[in-house]
Amino acid sequence: MRSNPAFSNPRLVYLHIPKTAGTSIREIIKSVYGTDATLWYTREKTSILHRAKTNRYSKKQVEGKLFVGGHKPRSFYPPDEPNLYFTTVREPIERDKSWLSYHTRPAAASSQRDFDIRHRLLRNWLAKGIDPDSIVNSIERCAPFRRIIQNQQCAYISRAGNSFDDALETIRSENFLVGSSNQVNNMIETMADIFDWPETPEIFGNKSRTGTNDDILSEVGAIELINQY
């Protein structure tokens, strides 16, 4: 993070890139700040958090909130607010594998609620051309899936554009913290030290049952095709 007096008491804004341990991050930080100080952009029907369903940023909506997040990229937020932006990233091929499994394999669900959510997602994505049995077919036939695997992580981080250079420029020029989805606890410990948080719990969500998606990348040409994007 860069040093800047304007960021002495920043609002925490989490850029939740899908399938990068974002649910764990959300629950951990919510436990620190509480629901009243939290705003989470989501489509889920839940009373756990103060929710916001909008495609437009509203200063009034975030007023008094210490922690804001959801599936919104950096470009969703104004360029000049004193926020600390943070996110977790994941090895791209592993992330694509996890995304496809979550959206097309309800049998991998760890609970009935998770199964119901995944079943609805599968129905929606089948209509868009996804193939649960072939990542190659899914890439070739489903334009929304191609957009998801085409530098989506960089697009979430960048103020504009979706290239690695765009993301790197944003990280270098703003108050930004980036961690690995495989090292969530290290990221939380870093933030706890910065902001003098009390001890935080280890929370993990959206877990799939072990061994249910190991064959997704075994298809001939799958990894090579993903690498093209």
Side-chain angles (χ1 to χ4, degrees):
M1 296 187 303
R2 66 193 179 98
S3 177
N4 188 322
F7 292 88
S8 59
N9 292 294
R11 174 181 294 117
L12 301 184
V13 177
Y14 181 60
L15 311 176
H16 182 188
I17 302 169
K19 305 312 296 177
T20 60
T23 300
S24 297
I25 293 285
R26 181 188 72 185
E27 293 302 307
I28 290 170
I29 299 183
K30 179 176 70 70
S31 72
V32 175
Y33 289 110
T35 57
D36 288 342
T38 297
L39 177 71
W40 192 262
Y41 295 101
T42 180
R43 294 179 181 178
E44 297 177 7
K45 294 181 178 180
T46 175
S47 59
I48 296 176
L49 298 165
H50 288 270
R51 296 181 295 117
K53 292 184 179 182
T54 181
N55 290 320
R56 292 185 179 182
Y57 179 82
S58 168
K59 288 188 177 182
K60 183 177 180 181
Q61 205 168 46
V62 302
E63 186 175 350
K65 305 301 180 185
L66 300 176
F67 174 44
V68 176
H71 290 311
K72 298 293 185 182
R74 169 63 187 90
S75 58
F76 174 78
Y77 299 94
D80 55 352
E81 292 207 347
N83 299 325
L84 167 58
Y85 295 98
F86 69 108
T87 192
T88 44
V89 294
R90 185 173 182 178
E91 194 284 318
I93 291 178
E94 282 298 315
R95 175 180 169 271
D96 297 340
K97 169 186 172 182
S98 177
W99 189 97
L100 190 66
S101 176
Y102 183 80
H103 288 77
T104 65
R105 301 193 174 189
S110 58
S111 67
Q112 183 60 47
R113 178 180 179 277
D114 191 24
F115 175 85
D116 293 340
I117 292 173
R118 293 188 185 203
H119 187 70
R120 290 195 299 270
L121 289 169
L122 173 59
R123 187 167 59 246
N124 292 336
W125 280 97
L126 285 173
K128 296 176 182 179
I130 211 83
D131 184 345
D133 299 317
S134 171
I135 197 168
V136 172
N137 288 344
S138 295
I139 293 172
E140 293 177 344
R141 300 174 185 177
C142 182
F145 181 58
R146 288 198 298 274
R147 288 194 293 270
I148 285 168
I149 69 172
Q150 192 167 21
N151 289 349
Q152 189 182 55
Q153 297 189 92
C154 291
Y156 258 78
I157 293 171
S158 174
R159 285 191 304 264
N162 69 341
S163 71
F164 178 80
D165 287 341
D166 293 329
L168 191 59
E169 172 60 26
T170 301
I171 292 170
R172 285 173 170 170
S173 63
E174 297 194 351
N175 205 40
F176 226 108
L177 183 65
V178 179
S180 167
S181 64
N182 293 326
Q183 298 291 334
V184 170
N185 289 332
N186 287 349
M187 185 176 193
I188 292 298
E189 288 173 5
T190 298
M191 297 182 72
D193 288 340
I194 293 171
F195 297 104
D196 196 26
W197 289 347
E199 185 176 355
T200 56
E202 293 186 6
I203 304 175
F204 299 92
N206 282 351
K207 288 281 188 180
S208 295
R209 288 191 292 109
T210 304
T212 53
N213 65 350
D214 293 339
D215 63 325
I216 287 180
L217 296 177
S218 64
E219 183 180 8
V220 175
I223 293 177
E224 291 79 5
L225 187 57
I226 292 173
N227 279 328
Q228 292 180 27
Y229 289 88

